[in-house]
């Protein structure tokens, strides 16, 4: 019996229940005590699973994470529940009732699809991963909607299904994160070819994919959750050529209209930092139109304007000072303003935020908080000093 299957036995389940709220700081003493009553291998496996469950809370929430099973790679690569739920609802809105989930991993997307009432064939070639996905479906009471199959996804017949979802592996044990779409496993070209054969399809890809690698018939969507860009998805069978940014929670959707690049203009009272999904989708022009602003530099995705126009697609800051890059001048300004909390953001600068923070404010000068943007204005290295804009614009 392998370590994972041992966790599914009554003894393994009892151990996991006992470790549900364990304190990692007390793990050594706890392990010593548990090994007096249980085999050492089982205790080690249960402790490892308990640690993974605690890590998984951020993606799956405490209730699901406490019942599910994970692998180290599975926790790292699984889609967070908020994003998977949004995608499952998108499939359901398209009239999809069955999905072939290829490269299913531990089953995060399959679970969301099943909860949306969609039947799922979940496929992965790794035996342990399949065992974990199968256990998750059972633990959450979804095994009547989820069939887990251990197989090479390139050999699976997807024709019986309304839609295909492919989540290729984008990490390698040897090379880490993979940036070349053709180095995905399976390659993006295979996933696209598979998608073209299906009535509907969605391909999960890295958000940094070059736009020239996106097929013309794809509907490209970049998704951010709580302001963090999580992934990009290529949809097939929807609206060819569409570019959009989706913000969660919400969802809120910004759709590209092919606007020309905004004009470059002097820095105004407000600086707008577009959501990362809008930037990745090349929709900065759409954001600029919403706020009536222009760019501070033709190569920098910061928008500026003289008036405050609230938008969910950008965070507004009121700019109080514009300085050429000079650490001594910034340090003097921070001391004069009695700054105690310094947030540093950068775009188009080689200077690391922590380095500037250390040099400009080695100790707090007071209680006020400011944000410094390291960037370029009209091609020149510049520091913009400001604070988050309030609803009144003050």
């Amino acid at each position: 019996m392998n370590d994972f299957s041992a966790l599914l036995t009554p003894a393994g389940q009892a151990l996991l229940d006992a470790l549900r709220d364990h304190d990692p700081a007390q793990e050594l003493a706890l392990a010593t005590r548990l090994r007096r009553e249980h085999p050492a291998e089982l205790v080690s496996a249960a402790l490892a699973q308990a640690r993974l469950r605690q890590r998984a809370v951020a993606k799956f929430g405490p209730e699901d994470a406490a019942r599910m099973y994970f692998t180290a790679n599975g926790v790292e690569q699984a889609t967070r529940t908020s994003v998977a739920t949004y995608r499952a609802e998108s499939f359901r809105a398209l009239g999809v009732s069955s999905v072939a989930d290829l490269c299913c991993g531990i089953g995060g997307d399959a679970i969301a699809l099943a909860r949306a009432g969609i039947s799922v064939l979940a496929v992965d070639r790794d035996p342990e991963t399949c065992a974990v996905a199968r256990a998750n479906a059972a633990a959450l009471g979804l095994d009547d909607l989820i069939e887990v199959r251990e197989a090479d996804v390139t050999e699976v017949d997807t024709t019986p299904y309304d839609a295909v979802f492919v989540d290729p592996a984008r990490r390698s044990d040897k090379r880490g994160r993979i940036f070349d779409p053709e180095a995905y496993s399976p390659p993006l070209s295979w996933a696209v070819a598979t998608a073209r054969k299906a009535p509907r399809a969605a391909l999960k890809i890295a958000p940094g994919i070059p736009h020239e690698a996106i097929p013309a018939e794809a509907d490209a969507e970049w998704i951010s959750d709580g302001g963090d860009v999580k992934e990009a998805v290529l949809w097939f069978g929807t609206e060819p050529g569409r570019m959009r940014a989706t913000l969660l929670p919400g969802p809120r959707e910004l759709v590209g209209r092919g606007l020309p690049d905004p004009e470059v203009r002097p820095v105004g009272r407000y600086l707008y930092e577009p959501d990362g999904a809008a930037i990745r989708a090349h929709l900065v022009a759409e954001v600029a139109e919403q706020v009536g602003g222009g760019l501070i530099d033709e190569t920098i995705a910061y928008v500026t304007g003289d008036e405050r126009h609230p938008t969910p697609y950008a965070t507004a800051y009121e700019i109080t000072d514009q300085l050429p890059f000079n650490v001594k001048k910034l340090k003097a300004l921070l001391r004069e303003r009695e700054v105690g909390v310094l947030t540093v953001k950068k775009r188009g600068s080689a200077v690391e935020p922590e380095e500037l923070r250390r040099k400009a404010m080695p100790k707090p000068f007071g209680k006020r908080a400011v944000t410094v943007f390291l960037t370029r204005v009209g091609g020149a290295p510049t520091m913009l000093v400001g604070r988050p804009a309030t609803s009144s614009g003050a």
Side-chain angles (χ1 to χ4, degrees):
M1 182 181 295
N2 62 33
D3 290 346
F4 178 70
S5 61
L7 293 177
L8 304 180
T9 65
Q13 293 292 292
L15 264 178
L16 288 174
D17 287 343
L19 292 169
R20 178 164 182 163
D21 299 314
H22 89 287
D23 181 359
Q26 305 297 321
E27 193 168 285
L28 182 58
L30 180 60
T32 300
R33 178 174 61 80
L34 291 174
R35 283 174 181 146
R36 297 191 189 111
E37 305 170 3
H38 303 278
E41 294 81 1
L42 181 58
V43 172
S44 295
L47 284 168
Q49 190 61 224
R51 289 192 295 270
L52 291 174
R53 284 178 167 181
Q54 290 183 344
R55 285 174 54 192
V57 168
K59 283 189 175 182
F60 291 91
E63 185 176 345
D64 280 354
R67 294 186 290 165
M68 292 174 64
Y69 301 89
F70 303 95
T71 64
N73 286 337
V75 171
E76 181 71 24
Q77 298 179 22
T79 305
R80 66 170 54 200
T81 294
S82 54
V83 178
T85 299
Y86 160 73
R87 182 167 34 249
E89 293 298 330
S90 297
F91 269 120
R92 186 169 68 171
L94 291 169
V96 169
S97 61
S98 61
V99 172
D101 178 4
L102 308 181
C103 310
C104 68
I106 62 170
D109 279 283
I111 289 166
L113 289 164
R115 282 176 166 167
I118 297 171
S119 63
V120 186
L121 170 66
V123 184
D124 203 284
R125 66 182 179 185
D126 180 68
E128 182 181 7
T129 299
C130 286
V132 170
R134 197 171 288 114
N136 284 335
L140 299 178
L142 299 169
D143 44 353
D144 58 332
L145 284 170
I146 300 175
E147 174 195 348
V148 179
R149 183 182 302 175
E150 181 188 333
D152 184 332
V153 296
T154 64
E155 299 175 357
V156 174
D157 179 14
T158 62
T159 54
Y161 299 89
D162 294 340
V164 171
F165 174 62
V166 188
D167 183 5
R170 295 178 300 282
R171 291 180 182 271
S172 165
D173 291 339
K174 294 181 179 179
R175 295 187 295 168
R177 192 182 297 274
I178 297 172
F179 297 97
D180 178 7
E182 284 307 294
Y184 292 173
S185 179
L188 180 61
S189 57
W190 177 87
V192 169
T194 301
R196 285 171 173 157
K197 299 174 186 176
R200 309 276 191 185
L203 313 181
K204 180 178 171 181
I205 55 175
I209 186 172
H211 278 225
E212 56 268 23
I214 298 173
E217 72 269 38
D219 170 7
E221 178 184 33
W222 282 260
I223 302 172
S224 69
D225 187 12
D228 294 329
V229 182
K230 295 301 177 185
E231 62 185 55
V233 181
L234 302 183
W235 291 89
F236 292 77
T238 51
E239 294 189 31
R242 180 168 59 172
M243 298 283 175
R244 51 189 169 127
T246 298
L247 278 56
L248 301 177
R252 298 182 175 92
E253 182 180 83
L254 182 65
V255 179
R257 294 185 286 112
L259 298 179
D261 291 339
E263 293 185 357
V264 177
R265 54 149 291 171
V267 176
R269 180 178 178 183
Y270 295 100
L271 186 75
Y272 295 88
E273 182 181 29
D275 185 273
I279 295 173
R280 295 286 194 178
H282 294 184
L283 301 182
V284 174
E286 281 73 9
V287 174
E289 182 185 64
Q290 285 194 357
V291 301
L295 298 179
I296 64 171
D297 185 282
E298 62 181 5
T299 64
I300 303 296
Y302 282 138
V303 176
T304 188
D306 298 315
E307 297 180 359
R308 170 107 195 279
H309 296 281
T311 171
Y313 304 106
T315 303
Y317 295 83
E318 185 177 15
I319 299 303
T320 58
D321 300 270
Q322 178 177 339
L323 308 170
F325 183 81
N326 186 299
V327 177
K328 289 184 178 180
K329 288 185 178 180
L330 178 62
K331 186 174 182 178
L333 184 145
L334 297 177
R335 181 182 288 110
E336 177 187 337
R337 301 284 169 82
E338 299 181 338
V339 172
V341 179
L342 176 61
T343 300
V344 181
K345 294 175 171 284
K346 75 165 190 171
R347 187 162 291 157
S349 172
V351 179
E352 291 300 322
E354 188 54 43
E355 177 187 355
L356 180 69
R357 189 181 294 108
R358 185 175 61 252
K359 291 181 177 179
M361 200 176 74
K363 61 180 181 179
F365 298 125
K367 296 182 179 181
R368 293 182 179 177
V370 302
T371 300
V372 174
F373 295 87
L374 300 177
T375 187
R376 293 194 303 272
V377 174
T382 303
M383 298 183 295
L384 301 176
V385 182
R387 57 180 179 267
T390 65
S391 57
S392 64

